[in-house]
Amino acid sequence: MTTHTEMEIASQPACWRRGAEMAATAALPRPGERVAVVGCGTSWFIAQAYAVLRERAGHGETDAFAASEAPIAVPASASPHTREAPLATPTSAGTHAAEAPLATPTSAGSPAAEAPLAVPMAAAPPSAGAAYGRAYDRVLALTRSGTTTEVLDLLRRLDGTPVTVVTADPRTPVMSLADEVVVLDFADERSVVQTRFATTQLALLRAHLGEDLGQAIADAERAIAESVPEAFVTAEQFTFLGRGWTCGLAQEAALKMREASRSWTEAYPAMEYRHGPISIAGPGRVTWMLGTAPEGIAEDVRAAGGAFVGGNADPMAELVRVQRVAVARAKALGLDPDQPLHLTRSVILSS
């Protein structure tokens, strides 16, 4: 039986095309703005990828945070219900936007790589009512459900910082906390495990930065058409590696395997792999590079008896291959990838 997850994986090339078409009119961060991108789980990893890409494109300093850990400046006395923003006004192309002028471009900031580059503000403890944390021109929140507690709590605490949200559901609480909203309802999912919504977000964001996604879409179509190697279904362990923007994708690949098939997976920046993690490489274990591998990594893995996977496909298409392997492993174990153990569509915590 075909699962919802499999159908959603297969629909990704079409979703990416539609997301890329929206990019020109989507209400996304302006060049020159200093931006914090926040999310939870998969959305946090997509935020990491986008942050690197945005800085490299020269659009301005960009940091990515788990929503629960974001050091964004808020009033010291802020309560969890400080922000009361009006519902964003709908516009065309699935976007909701308030009118805002483009920020004046500034220097691109230091290029992002594997390490975050933003420097904290003054470390002195704030006085009563003073702001603490880092200051940003805009917060971009990525949330499929629009109901995740940590995201909503963060946005409620912000005091005047413009908020843009990318979500799949325009009927959720996050709508009232955003100044501008991009709705990707066509990429929403029935499966708990995120696949197409996550990658469609990234397709939209990449296209907004001026990238041509034609090759990525073609590579994804090939990834969907090919068969899943049996060696991947039976492998004991997977380690995913990335560089620059694909470090976030490596984390997402590892998460997908854990969620869908309860597999033992790890993820690292590729140049960190020799600093300890390579010790678990060996027969029956796979090291999978998303993007261009550093010189010598493949040889080191094979020398340890492990299998190395890499190639020239766009890293988002390579993530599609990982998603398909995750589903195949779940089925082989008698698991339902649509309803993974201990997980729900959204984490909603009791107050």
Side-chain angles (χ1 to χ4, degrees):
M1 183 180 72
T2 301
T3 64
H4 294 303
T5 306
E6 289 171 288
M7 292 186 289
E8 289 156 4
I9 289 171
S11 71
Q12 285 174 106
C15 288
W16 296 2
R17 287 190 185 92
R18 190 164 174 182
E21 291 168 357
M22 292 173 57
T25 56
L28 291 167
R30 286 73 160 154
E33 289 184 323
R34 187 166 190 254
V35 175
V37 194
V38 301
C40 296
T42 288
S43 292
W44 176 33
F45 300 141
I46 298 302
Q48 292 175 16
Y50 172 61
V52 177
L53 289 169
R54 186 172 185 269
E55 287 204 357
R56 288 186 174 178
H59 283 224
E61 293 183 8
T62 314
D63 296 321
F65 301 110
S68 60
E69 302 296 327
I72 300 172
V74 297
S77 58
S79 73
H81 305 289
T82 296
R83 182 182 178 91
E84 292 184 6
L87 192 65
T89 304
T91 63
S92 61
T95 14
H96 299 245
E99 294 184 6
L102 285 176
T104 303
T106 61
S107 61
S110 304
E114 281 78 15
L117 299 177
V119 178
M121 297 172 66
S127 59
Y132 63 91
R134 303 181 188 180
Y136 292 93
D137 299 316
R138 182 171 302 277
V139 172
L140 173 62
L142 308 180
T143 169
R144 177 181 67 171
S145 68
T147 59
T148 303
T149 295
E150 296 97 312
V151 172
L152 298 181
D153 284 352
L154 173 64
L155 299 186
R156 288 180 183 128
R157 290 198 303 270
L158 298 180
D159 184 32
T161 304
V163 172
T164 298
V165 167
V166 180
T167 188
D169 191 343
R171 302 161 297 178
T172 54
V174 77
M175 297 292 291
S176 65
L177 299 172
D179 301 289
E180 299 174 324
V181 182
V182 180
V183 178
L184 303 178
D185 49 0
F186 60 90
D188 203 355
E189 295 153 323
R190 294 184 64 178
S191 174
V192 169
V193 173
Q194 280 199 53
T195 54
R196 73 179 180 192
F197 180 75
T199 58
T200 301
Q201 282 186 117
L202 190 52
L204 167 74
L205 294 167
R206 289 176 68 183
H208 189 257
L209 296 175
E211 293 192 37
D212 182 349
L213 296 185
Q215 189 61 55
I217 292 169
D219 288 346
E221 289 172 337
R222 282 190 288 272
I224 290 165
E226 68 185 17
S227 60
V228 175
E230 182 63 23
F232 290 173
V233 178
T234 59
E236 178 189 18
Q237 188 273 339
F238 287 82
T239 298
F240 296 96
L241 305 179
R243 297 200 77 179
W245 73 279
T246 70
C247 287
L249 293 192
Q251 292 287 349
E252 169 59 8
L255 179 65
K256 226 49 357 166
M257 286 276 208
R258 287 193 291 270
E259 288 179 332
S261 63
R262 308 190 80 192
S263 297
W264 171 17
T265 61
E266 301 183 12
Y268 303 94
M271 292 302 291
E272 287 296 306
Y273 184 61
R274 296 184 181 97
H275 294 268
I278 196 172
S279 63
I280 64 169
R285 298 177 180 182
V286 177
T287 301
W288 195 325
M289 180 74 205
L290 282 77
T292 303
E295 185 176 354
I297 285 281
E299 292 76 11
D300 291 345
V301 171
R302 293 178 183 127
F308 183 85
V309 180
N312 298 319
D314 184 276
M316 281 200 332
E318 201 68 12
L319 180 58
V320 172
R321 291 183 69 200
V322 176
Q323 293 168 349
R324 296 190 64 231
V325 172
V327 170
R329 288 173 65 86
K331 286 189 162 186
L333 293 169
L335 300 173
D336 180 0
D338 290 344
Q339 298 292 332
L341 293 174
H342 317 308
L343 296 179
T344 58
R345 173 179 166 87
S346 174
V347 176
I348 302 175
L349 305 175
S350 58
S351 56

